[in-house]
Amino acid sequence: VGAEFLSSSSKKPTPPAFLMEESAADDSSTALLRTRAEAATDECASLDERLALYEAAALAGDVLSARRAAELYVYGAERLPTGARRCKKVWSHSLDDDVAKKKKAAEHWRFAAQRGDAASARELALLGAAGLLPFSEDDEEGLLSWAAATGDARAALALATRLGGHVEAAAWHARLAAEIANVEYHTPGEQTHVEMDRLTDTTLANRGDGTAQRGDDDSLLQAQEVRAEAGDPAAMLATADLLYWGARGYARDHARARRFFERLVAGFPESNHVVPMNRLASMLIRGEGGPVDHARAMALYERAAALGSAVALNGLGYEYFHGTAVPPNRSKAFAYFDEAARLDADGDSNFNAAFMLHEGLGIQQNLPRAARLYEHAAARHGHFDGALKLAQLRHRGGHLFRRDPATSQKYFAACARAGWLARDVRNAFDQYLDGDSDAALALYAQAAYLGFPVAAKNAAFLVDRRKVTGVSATDAIPFHRLALDLAFDAESAVAVANDAVSRGECRTAMAWYARAADSALATLAMADLHARGLCGVPRSRVVAEKLFRKAATLDTSVAVRASVVLKLLALRLDDLALRIFGAKPLFFTPTTTTPDSEKTPPLEESDDITPASFLPTFLLAAAVVALLWHRHRCASSLRLVVAS
């Protein structure tokens, strides 16, 4: 009830008491300073120049300028509504210390939040919760609640994710975020293409040119564009799609995309260009990259429909429904939608047929079938409007669906994550590619709190690999836990289990190891426990050796196999030292201390260690080490040796 009152009241809700301060007057000089700063942003002026202008406007009392200055300190870029402003990042400011930058950013965000800026309040709450600011706020949930009630989609979605156990509250906040995403999703030319790139050791080793992720600055993508210009149809279609969506580092460019689609439609047999015909027709209807032309769009849809395209049938239904190029005919529109829906190749036709059946437009009302088609569009095709309609019907309840706030929350949240906030994940990836892992972590951390599993995993990856300043290995555990709350991931499960072992929480550790039992990481960890005799696991070389070998079959990469060989060698050396010299293990030593009077327990019975049995392991380890050394000199030769 409180949330409904706040959203419908004409009066803005009051921020938490500790944020309240008297607002500074906004005069013409302040507006002029901000205008100059925004012009510098549009021109991609130097980072120092933009920061100086925004800080000058902030000192004069401008709230938005204070937020922009904070963003420049933390991200090196302004976070505009449609995504971060991407300019070359050359930082020459006197504050080159990351802690000092974050402190200044926090001061600017607090200044803006105290004067009613919801986005700044949300930044303080989420970055403070992630431990990425020099101090945390006393009332993070209060900050988020206030920011959500004043229309911040990220704050609303973060609350929906955080309040998962309180179904009604979670559904309400997810609905607020979804309604904002609905406006963003249907903004012409700004529909979000969701890119969920996972950081791996491969991207860690190769994040420069040639990653196929840097758009006009990437040699692989530019080579593809050269092939497209030369007339390669596959390259033309791929390049046109990237330009249309602004994906893989490209800036969105509908004019260039439309030119490639035009060439594909004009230059190749009809059997090969149904997809570009449909894409071009859609752009002609929306006027993307050129003038609107409904008549030509309809002609293209008719050609593609004759070749069996469900998308084209849906397009014809759209034209007859709205009656732009032909007289409106809703019965004929439904016939096209229904025929396309029966082919079940896209979500649009399922939703459109459902809508007409639901409202009784051009066809007799059929609520049960409408419900099935709504659900089909949302669950099977991930259709935005289908998911939003289904969420609204489930949230309201009625004769079509019983009220189900839990299901509605799930679909509302899915819609919210298709809005502009989804671009945060790609922006974080771009920051990483540009070499700013600290900014990437800040963006990934916030996106993780919004419910993006890949963001939580990437944040944990950056901390695990020590790619950000001022962090330790244990700082990755909260992100691993958050990733597991959102979606199961074996790597995160093993990380949490290993942390539990280090703290003596063996029952928790074993539960996570069991859930990840089919992964090489969990198998290696269990082998290590058997080799050391930790957490109540009996010390056994036989079991440890079997598990190490099993890990090598689960993950056949060179790195894992080399690790297994070295661990087997260490295991045998420990056994040899114990049997011949009675010495304690050199490699697999228990991490807990034991009284000096206690000798290291012998390994459970196994094959006798003799020079003959030890030699093959030693030779194999030596061979792997030689191969790894050789890899740095000649990668292709290494692949040939491994293959042989």
Side-chain angles (χ1 to χ4, degrees):
V1 173
E4 185 169 4
F5 169 77
L6 290 175
S7 72
S8 61
S9 173
S10 59
K11 182 180 179 181
K12 274 194 172 184
T14 304
F18 71 92
L19 283 184
M20 293 300 291
E21 276 190 11
E22 189 173 345
S23 298
D26 186 15
D27 55 21
S28 58
S29 61
T30 303
L32 179 61
L33 284 170
R34 186 171 74 183
T35 301
R36 288 177 58 194
E38 289 173 342
T41 296
D42 292 337
E43 296 166 4
C44 266
S46 72
L47 194 153
D48 288 324
E49 181 182 343
R50 283 144 53 206
L51 180 61
L53 288 168
Y54 280 120
E55 286 201 304
L59 285 173
D62 187 67
V63 172
L64 180 59
S65 295
R67 190 213 305 169
R68 292 283 182 255
E71 291 166 352
L72 287 171
Y73 273 118
V74 173
Y75 309 112
E78 299 87 337
R79 295 186 72 184
L80 305 179
T82 55
R85 178 68 169 146
R86 294 208 63 195
C87 302
K88 289 187 177 180
K89 193 185 301 184
V90 180
W91 184 269
S92 58
H93 195 270
S94 58
L95 280 178
D96 56 359
D97 177 69
D98 288 294
V99 175
K101 288 180 187 177
K102 290 176 181 177
K103 186 176 180 180
K104 288 288 291 183
E107 290 171 358
H108 283 302
W109 274 322
R110 282 185 68 87
F111 172 87
Q114 285 164 349
R115 286 153 180 80
D117 187 60
S120 295
R122 178 247 307 153
E123 294 268 12
L124 287 171
L126 295 183
L127 291 179
L132 298 179
L133 291 178
F135 53 84
S136 60
E137 297 298 339
D138 299 327
D139 186 14
E140 291 165 0
E141 195 162 306
L143 282 170
L144 289 174
S145 298
W146 173 69
T150 51
D152 187 86
R154 290 173 176 83
L157 186 55
L159 278 173
T161 306
R162 177 180 290 204
L163 300 173
H166 304 279
V167 177
E168 291 288 356
W172 181 263
H173 284 100
R175 177 182 172 183
L176 293 178
E179 287 171 350
I180 296 168
N182 186 34
V183 175
E184 296 170 347
Y185 188 86
H186 293 98
T187 300
E190 288 294 345
Q191 186 173 333
T192 295
H193 177 66
V194 180
E195 294 181 84
M196 298 287 122
D197 298 285
R198 179 76 185 269
L199 294 183
T200 64
D201 289 315
T202 302
T203 55
L204 183 67
N206 180 24
R207 63 180 180 183
D209 181 33
T211 58
Q213 292 285 357
R214 289 180 167 272
D216 287 321
D217 296 325
D218 191 284
S219 59
L220 289 179
L221 293 178
Q222 288 309 295
Q224 175 179 274
E225 195 166 337
V226 169
R227 294 197 303 273
E229 294 289 358
D232 183 307
M236 279 197 282
L237 183 58
T239 302
D241 276 339
L242 293 177
L243 291 168
Y244 180 85
W245 292 107
R248 288 184 174 266
Y250 275 110
R252 196 178 293 236
D253 191 336
H254 285 167
R256 288 170 69 193
R258 183 161 163 170
R259 182 168 59 84
F260 280 120
F261 287 137
E262 291 272 15
R263 288 181 60 192
L264 279 165
V265 169
F268 295 93
E270 291 190 355
S271 60
N272 292 333
H273 68 190
V274 168
V275 171
M277 272 197 295
N278 289 329
R279 303 276 171 83
L280 178 57
S282 176
M283 295 185 79
L284 289 167
I285 287 174
R286 294 186 175 94
E288 295 171 332
V292 173
D293 190 340
H294 284 275
R296 188 175 173 219
M298 195 161 182
L300 288 169
Y301 278 140
E302 285 173 343
R303 287 170 58 193
L307 297 169
S309 169
V311 174
L313 290 168
N314 179 75
L316 290 172
Y318 176 91
E319 289 291 352
Y320 277 106
F321 184 89
H322 290 284
T324 306
V326 292
N329 187 329
R330 291 188 170 177
S331 296
K332 200 166 186 178
F334 176 77
Y336 278 119
F337 290 146
D338 189 46
E339 185 180 354
R342 293 181 190 282
L343 293 174
D344 197 24
D346 72 325
D348 283 340
S349 56
N350 279 272
F351 173 81
N352 290 335
F355 178 78
M356 296 191 76
L357 287 165
H358 186 193
E359 302 296 332
L361 300 173
I363 188 69
Q364 185 176 356
Q365 190 179 52
N366 186 334
L367 296 182
R369 186 166 178 233
R372 288 195 301 272
L373 286 171
Y374 279 139
E375 205 142 20
H376 203 65
R380 181 158 183 171
H381 295 287
H383 190 264
F384 182 94
D385 292 304
L388 184 61
K389 189 69 173 180
L390 187 63
Q392 291 167 340
L393 293 171
R394 290 284 193 188
H395 192 242
R396 239 185 352 253
H399 57 278
L400 194 58
F401 288 105
R402 65 177 178 81
R403 189 167 188 275
D404 185 352
T407 300
S408 71
Q409 189 268 338
K410 180 180 72 172
Y411 283 110
F412 277 137
C415 291
R417 294 186 190 107
W420 291 346
L421 58 81
R423 300 178 187 183
D424 291 352
V425 182
R426 175 65 206 198
N427 289 340
F429 189 69
D430 287 333
Q431 294 277 19
Y432 173 77
L433 291 178
D434 291 341
D436 193 343
S437 295
D438 290 276
L441 177 61
L443 288 166
Y444 278 136
Q446 291 190 68
Y449 286 116
L450 304 186
F452 290 99
V454 71
K457 294 169 189 173
N458 286 350
F461 176 89
L462 289 173
V463 178
D464 275 333
R465 301 304 193 277
R466 309 291 197 281
K467 291 299 168 185
V468 289
T469 56
V471 298
S472 62
T474 56
D475 292 327
I477 299 303
F479 293 117
H480 282 301
R481 291 186 183 279
L482 185 54
L484 290 170
D485 289 340
L486 298 172
F488 180 77
D489 177 72
E491 184 177 351
S492 290
V494 172
V496 171
N498 290 343
D499 179 66
V501 169
S502 69
R503 291 184 285 106
E505 299 174 2
C506 295
R507 183 174 296 180
T508 301
M510 292 304 173
W512 283 116
Y513 284 140
R515 288 191 63 185
D518 292 334
S519 72
L521 284 173
T523 306
L524 285 170
M526 285 301 300
D528 195 76
L529 291 184
H530 279 284
R532 297 176 189 277
L534 294 177
C535 266
V537 175
R539 191 161 181 262
S540 169
R541 181 181 68 80
V542 174
V543 176
E545 199 168 285
K546 286 180 180 177
L547 289 172
F548 280 135
R549 295 185 188 281
K550 179 184 176 183
T553 62
L554 292 172
D555 186 342
T556 58
S557 66
V558 173
V560 170
R561 288 192 170 189
S563 175
V564 166
V565 169
L566 294 175
K567 286 179 181 292
L568 289 173
L569 174 60
L571 193 64
R572 293 236 170 183
L573 286 173
D574 277 352
D575 205 359
L576 187 65
L578 176 64
R579 291 177 180 274
I580 296 178
F581 305 108
K584 291 184 177 181
L586 300 172
F587 301 100
F588 292 102
T589 56
T591 55
T592 55
T593 56
T594 56
D596 291 339
S597 58
E598 294 184 14
K599 290 186 177 180
T600 302
L603 292 169
E604 291 185 358
E605 60 178 287
S606 60
D607 298 334
D608 290 336
I609 300 296
T610 65
S613 62
F614 173 74
L615 185 60
T617 305
F618 176 79
L619 291 175
L620 185 56
V624 170
V625 171
L627 284 173
L628 291 175
W629 173 79
H630 191 57
R631 178 185 183 188
H632 293 285
R633 301 188 62 191
C634 184
S636 60
S637 296
L638 173 63
R639 286 194 290 271
L640 289 172
V641 171
V642 173
S644 64

